[in-house]
Amino acid sequence: MSAAALPEAQVVAAQRCASCPKMCRSACPTLAVTANERHQPWGHARTVVAALGGQDGFAEPATVAAAFACATCGACTVPCLVKGVETTELSWAVRAAVFDAGATPAAGLRAVAEASAGRVRVADSPPAWTDPAATLDALRRLATPGADLLLLPGCGALGHRPEAALAAGRALRGLRIAFTVLDEHRCCGAPARSFGDTAAAVAMLDRLGAAIAAAAVRRVAVQSPSCAHLLATHAPGPAGVAVEPLAGVLAAGLASAGTPAGHGRVAYHDPCFLARHLDHTAEPRAVLRTLGHEVVELRGRGATTACSGGGGGLPLTHPAIADGYRDRLAAAVAEAAGAGAAALVTGCATCAARLAGAVPVPVLELAEACAAALEARR
Amino acid sequence: MSLLAPALLDELRAAVGDAGVSTDPADRDAVAHDLWPRALIRERGGERLPGPDAVVWPSTRGQVAAVCAACHRAEIPFTPFGAGTGVCGAAIPVRGGVVLDLKRLDRILDWDLETGWVRVEPGLLGSRLEDACRERGRTTGHHPSSLALSTVGGFVATRSAGQLSTRYGRIDDLVAGLEAVLPDGTEVSLRPEPAAGAGPDLRRLFLGSEGGFGVIVEVTLRLHPLPERRVDHAAVFGGFAEGIAAVRELLQAGLRPSLLRLYDLADTALQAAELGVGEGSGALLLASCEGRAAVAEAEAAELAAICAAHGASARDPAAVEAWYTRRDDIGFAQARYLPLAGAVLDTVELAAPWSRLAALHEAVRRRIGGRLIVLCHLSHGYPDGACLYFSFAGVAEEEAGAVPLHELLWEEVMAAAAETGASIAHHHGAGLARAPYMAAELGAGGVEVLRRLKAALDPGGVANPGKWGL
């Protein structure tokens, strides 16, 4: 397919982004990691403009490399006030154009195929996938058939940190919140969107929507932030089914359950999709404070949170850049540890998996912290 | 494809490591130009500037020295590059060679809070430095609108001035010391001093040097305590001349407001709507006095009295706060309008003594008005004069006419400066934009001094060649 595959609104966005005096450069982690002028939204947009008029279109290697050198963390969206430019949307549109041009990296194609088959990624380098049925079975043993709340752990939790998915079930059970789980894992399609396969993304989202409808629930609690964002913005289930991040459900449950014994100071890391894309920052902190923790804030929080590098397929296409993201975040965690944080809690299982062992304190996903505190109370 | 000899590339890789050298066309293309509007217009028209033959990322001063020495021996040009956000073409590698990207030299090395100094590397972004200063209750006071997208090295190499320079000074005033690598790799340390009087001030040799005398690898900047209080004042004068008279009087009386911006009638009409200060007639003044609370309040009272004596009517000072909230946003407008075919946008900052300031304003408007929109504000005030900052916008009838229109704009503005005896630059540097006018600015004797200095420090002519009109 030709360069015309890019929607007109995104063509205008790319032209504006490429004409901007790099107003978001201080926010871009890819630029911070690479120190390479081409690797920031301005530079990436220039490759898009070049592709629009170039012989190879979106199959141009420089355009392809730029398209995937980004975790779609959205840090650039915070300082950007250019009318008509939404950089994350532009990034996804460009990736779709690259896919249409047949130039998506092989690692991305495999990731889409695995996700379509209901498998989840358990390792990034070398990449490996597995069937999460065993984790779902274990979770089902904590569930209540017929409950009106569906717990959707998402690929991130089921793959990178299954203990976080199980902790979500333990926490809900500890709060006496009845939940159910799907009969089998259904990916929301976020990996397909990340690699530009729009048709696969739509198909996966539709299948998940059908599964939610079949579950006959009224609410869906989503644990993985990117899934929560995609489901919140695309609402695949039947009308009237409320989708919310798991953190909000835990916060509400804790508020009505009373305060369990709490312990010590913890640092909290805002995941990009939860904090920046969904503005979901108060609920995780409410969970931790209700558990009795004092929250140590990281340098970079809320809308300006640092990305662990796990999103947008970055660990598959540019693992060194992804590790650079993680190392920058790890430095902020080390600083918080120096300020007395005894552990790091993050609202994202993928982030937890990426940070474990890279920081000087134990790392917990939010549901793990919640489950542990609730169980310690008993 | 890189035209550099394999032996030089090997030497560069030995100096900075394999990952620190790239000949990838995409990497080279990204540093082919800075944000000089002429280059952006040419690129919009389909032209790709050739760029360097290689990009090198040193992360220590020793690596910078090794790269410079290698280029010197091979007689290959090198061009230092920070964030690439200069607006005069100073970072454009017009003769190819090596772009020396300094972004990995971005550390804060040392604080001396008792003295009020911070020692930093040149690739540090201005906003990162300012954030760190504020955590310590300090500020450099240096806040160009590009603070978040430009580097300390860039500030020094182009002699920049921040929005609050009337109080805190230009970068020239903030540099206490610096270290540099000469074009042949020789390292030079010009230690920080509060003041020194032994011979010429060699630090100043590197201020505004734009890489032509070597590479700045470390800078010690002066710090100020964060102000205890800021008092804002907004007022409207009957005309630009009345406003200029008031600003001159208050500066010559010794007042040093941090913010001091006086908009001409055309700019006031635009700003008034943006800032919510009435119908937009007259000349709008925005000012802030800051520092110790009692001093700031007294200074603001004096400033208001002087303005009133010149017929100004006070406006809601909330307009000043509104200005602060969008002080750095001008780039967003560029992003929106520059892609339009034929569009020409640029800013030119000139400086003149009070006795010639009004004439300069009139000359620029006379020469450019009717061809492009001309807006102007006075800022960066001194006891003996001020900067006039002009913004221009227009559209050529067709894309092919954009570069000629931009060339005409610069010819006319520089002619207006020559006509009125104004300086051709206040704080954007010289680069390529002002290269044709350097002889008029410096005079024959000045050019000869510059030529001899360049020949002495850079006998091979490898350090950012093609600039200053040499």
Side-chain angles (χ1 to χ4, degrees):
Chain A
M1 189 176 286
S2 73
L6 200 64
E8 181 58 27
Q10 298 301 345
V11 171
V12 171
Q15 290 169 336
R16 290 182 177 179
C17 193
S19 298
C20 177
K22 315 176 187 177
M23 299 290 276
C24 63
R25 69 170 302 130
S26 66
C28 178
T30 296
L31 178 60
V33 169
T34 63
N36 189 327
E37 206 62 22
R38 94 193 241 205
H39 282 314
Q40 57 181 313
W42 168 84
H44 291 176
R46 287 180 80 235
T47 72
V48 174
V49 173
L52 290 166
Q55 196 172 9
D56 296 328
F58 285 94
E60 167 64 38
T63 308
V64 176
F68 296 97
C70 167
T72 61
C73 75
C76 51
T77 64
V78 176
C80 181
L81 296 177
V82 181
K83 189 177 172 65
V85 176
E86 171 51 62
T87 33
T88 311
E89 296 291 338
L90 173 60
S91 183
W92 285 323
V94 170
R95 291 171 182 215
V98 169
F99 179 85
D100 289 346
T104 300
L109 296 176
R110 181 171 177 204
V112 176
E114 296 281 2
S116 293
R119 290 158 64 83
V120 294
R121 198 161 87 233
V122 295
D124 295 334
S125 184
W129 285 263
T130 192
D131 184 336
T135 304
L136 278 177
D137 284 346
L139 204 48
R140 198 169 289 113
R141 287 193 283 277
L142 300 168
T144 304
D148 70 356
L149 173 72
L150 174 69
L151 171 62
L152 207 62
C155 298
L158 289 171
H160 287 119
R161 198 158 168 114
E163 60 268 39
L166 292 173
R170 286 160 42 213
L172 290 172
R173 193 179 168 96
L175 290 169
R176 303 184 191 286
I177 299 173
F179 69 94
T180 184
V181 294
L182 293 178
D183 291 338
E184 60 180 335
H185 172 59
R186 297 285 189 207
C187 174
C188 67
R193 178 175 62 175
S194 286
F195 288 105
D197 188 344
T198 307
V202 170
M204 282 190 256
L205 193 60
D206 286 347
R207 281 194 311 183
L208 177 58
I212 292 172
V217 294
R218 292 195 308 168
R219 295 192 300 153
V220 181
V222 190
Q223 186 172 15
S224 293
S226 60
C227 307
H229 172 255
L230 199 145
L231 295 182
T233 51
H234 288 74
V241 175
V243 175
E244 58 185 312
L246 176 65
V249 176
L250 295 178
L254 279 165
S256 59
T259 304
H263 318 283
R265 309 178 79 191
V266 298
Y268 178 69
H269 165 245
D270 283 303
C272 309
F273 276 85
L274 208 54
R276 201 146 38 220
H277 293 298
L278 287 175
D279 193 24
H280 203 77
T281 58
E283 295 84 348
R285 287 170 174 77
V287 168
L288 293 173
R289 292 193 175 111
T290 307
L291 294 173
H293 291 295
E294 181 185 345
V295 178
V296 178
E297 296 292 359
L298 296 180
R299 181 184 296 275
R301 57 182 178 272
T304 59
T305 187
C307 176
S308 74
L314 192 66
L316 297 178
T317 57
H318 296 79
I321 296 177
D323 287 351
Y325 276 54
R326 181 203 57 208
D327 293 345
R328 295 177 76 239
L329 174 54
V333 175
E335 193 177 43
L344 173 75
V345 180
T346 173
C348 169
T350 299
C351 298
R354 289 184 61 76
L355 288 166
V359 296
V361 290
V363 179
L364 297 168
E365 195 268 350
L366 185 70
E368 294 174 341
C370 188
L374 290 168
E375 288 160 5
R377 184 176 60 165
R378 287 203 292 268
Chain B
M1 177 181 162
S2 173
L3 298 177
L4 296 185
L8 176 59
L9 286 170
D10 287 345
E11 203 171 350
L12 296 174
R13 291 188 182 107
V16 301
D18 289 351
V21 179
S22 174
T23 57
D24 184 324
D27 293 338
R28 291 153 49 199
D29 178 63
V31 294
H33 61 74
D34 56 9
L35 299 181
W36 183 30
R38 182 85 50 85
L40 302 182
I41 293 168
R42 287 168 63 184
E43 187 171 82
R44 185 186 64 204
E47 187 177 346
R48 274 318 221 213
L49 299 185
D53 299 295
V55 187
V56 175
W57 289 271
S59 52
T60 67
R61 68 167 60 196
Q63 292 181 355
V64 173
V67 171
C68 290
C71 289
H72 173 75
R73 284 192 297 272
E75 299 181 345
I76 291 296
F78 66 82
T79 303
F81 193 99
T85 47
V87 292
C88 290
I92 295 179
V94 289
R95 293 181 193 164
V98 169
V99 156
L100 201 55
D101 192 322
L102 299 167
K103 278 194 277 295
R104 288 183 180 159
L105 282 159
D106 65 348
R107 289 159 284 222
I108 296 176
L109 299 169
D110 183 45
W111 298 90
D112 180 350
L113 296 180
E114 182 180 4
T115 300
W117 285 343
V118 60
R119 194 161 58 90
V120 304
E121 292 184 321
L124 179 67
L125 277 181
S127 54
R128 298 245 163 84
L129 171 60
E130 195 58 22
D131 288 347
C133 287
R134 286 177 179 271
E135 287 177 8
R136 291 161 176 82
R138 304 292 195 279
T139 177
T140 63
H142 191 72
H143 190 128
S145 65
S146 62
L147 186 72
L149 37 134
S150 50
T151 63
V152 172
F155 296 158
V156 177
T158 60
R159 292 179 71 195
S160 74
Q163 296 161 338
L164 310 182
S165 74
T166 302
R167 173 179 173 81
Y168 294 104
R170 307 161 53 92
I171 198 72
D172 316 35
D173 304 305
L174 295 170
V175 173
L178 59 80
E179 307 206 358
V181 171
L182 299 182
D184 67 355
T186 303
E187 297 187 40
V188 178
S189 177
L190 301 167
R191 70 182 187 198
E193 303 280 7
D201 185 350
L202 296 180
R203 297 165 192 81
R204 299 228 159 208
L205 196 57
F206 292 92
L207 292 169
S209 60
E210 297 182 342
F213 293 151
V215 183
I216 297 163
V217 291
E218 190 180 301
V219 181
T220 299
L221 293 171
R222 298 191 169 96
L223 301 172
H224 302 270
L226 281 174
E228 181 179 293
R229 179 83 195 274
R230 191 187 89 206
V231 184
D232 296 335
H233 184 70
V236 173
F237 293 89
F240 197 44
E242 290 88 337
I244 289 175
V247 168
R248 174 173 63 83
E249 183 180 331
L250 70 89
L251 288 168
Q252 291 181 340
L255 303 189
R256 291 293 176 272
S258 50
L259 179 69
L260 184 68
R261 296 170 80 88
L262 175 71
Y263 298 91
D264 74 358
L265 304 193
D267 213 350
T268 295
L270 181 72
Q271 297 296 332
E274 297 268 325
L275 303 174
V277 280
E279 70 282 8
S281 59
L284 174 66
L285 175 91
L286 302 178
S288 297
C289 298
E290 64 186 39
R292 298 295 285 264
V295 177
E297 286 163 8
E299 186 175 44
E302 286 294 314
L303 182 146
I306 291 172
C307 290
H310 285 269
S313 58
R315 292 287 191 271
D316 186 346
V320 181
E321 180 58 35
W323 177 86
Y324 277 106
T325 62
R326 62 187 71 185
R327 65 194 292 185
D328 301 334
D329 289 356
I330 183 66
F332 298 125
Q334 174 181 317
R336 190 169 175 188
Y337 295 110
L338 192 63
L340 303 176
V344 171
L345 307 172
D346 208 345
T347 58
V348 185
E349 15 64 68
L350 309 170
W354 295 116
S355 57
R356 300 179 206 148
L357 208 64
L360 174 63
H361 181 248
E362 192 279 327
V364 172
R365 289 185 56 79
R366 170 168 41 82
R367 286 172 174 273
I368 304 295
R371 294 168 170 159
L372 295 134
I373 296 169
V374 184
L375 307 173
C376 175
H377 68 264
L378 178 158
S379 55
H380 313 286
Y382 310 90
D384 49 355
C387 164
L388 287 185
Y389 192 104
F390 292 92
S391 300
F392 303 100
V395 183
E397 287 187 7
E398 54 187 356
E399 179 61 28
V403 167
L405 180 59
H406 191 257
E407 290 171 342
L408 178 69
L409 160 66
W410 272 82
E411 283 291 335
E412 293 292 345
V413 174
M414 294 296 105
E419 173 190 329
T420 55
S423 173
I424 62 171
H426 181 265
H427 60 267
H428 286 174
L432 294 172
R434 291 181 165 99
Y437 314 103
M438 289 295 280
E441 175 78 356
L442 300 177
V447 169
E448 187 57 24
V449 170
L450 192 59
R451 190 186 308 281
R452 291 188 191 189
L453 284 169
K454 176 73 172 168
L457 294 173
D458 182 21
V462 296
N464 198 8
K467 309 292 159 55
W468 300 338
L470 298 180

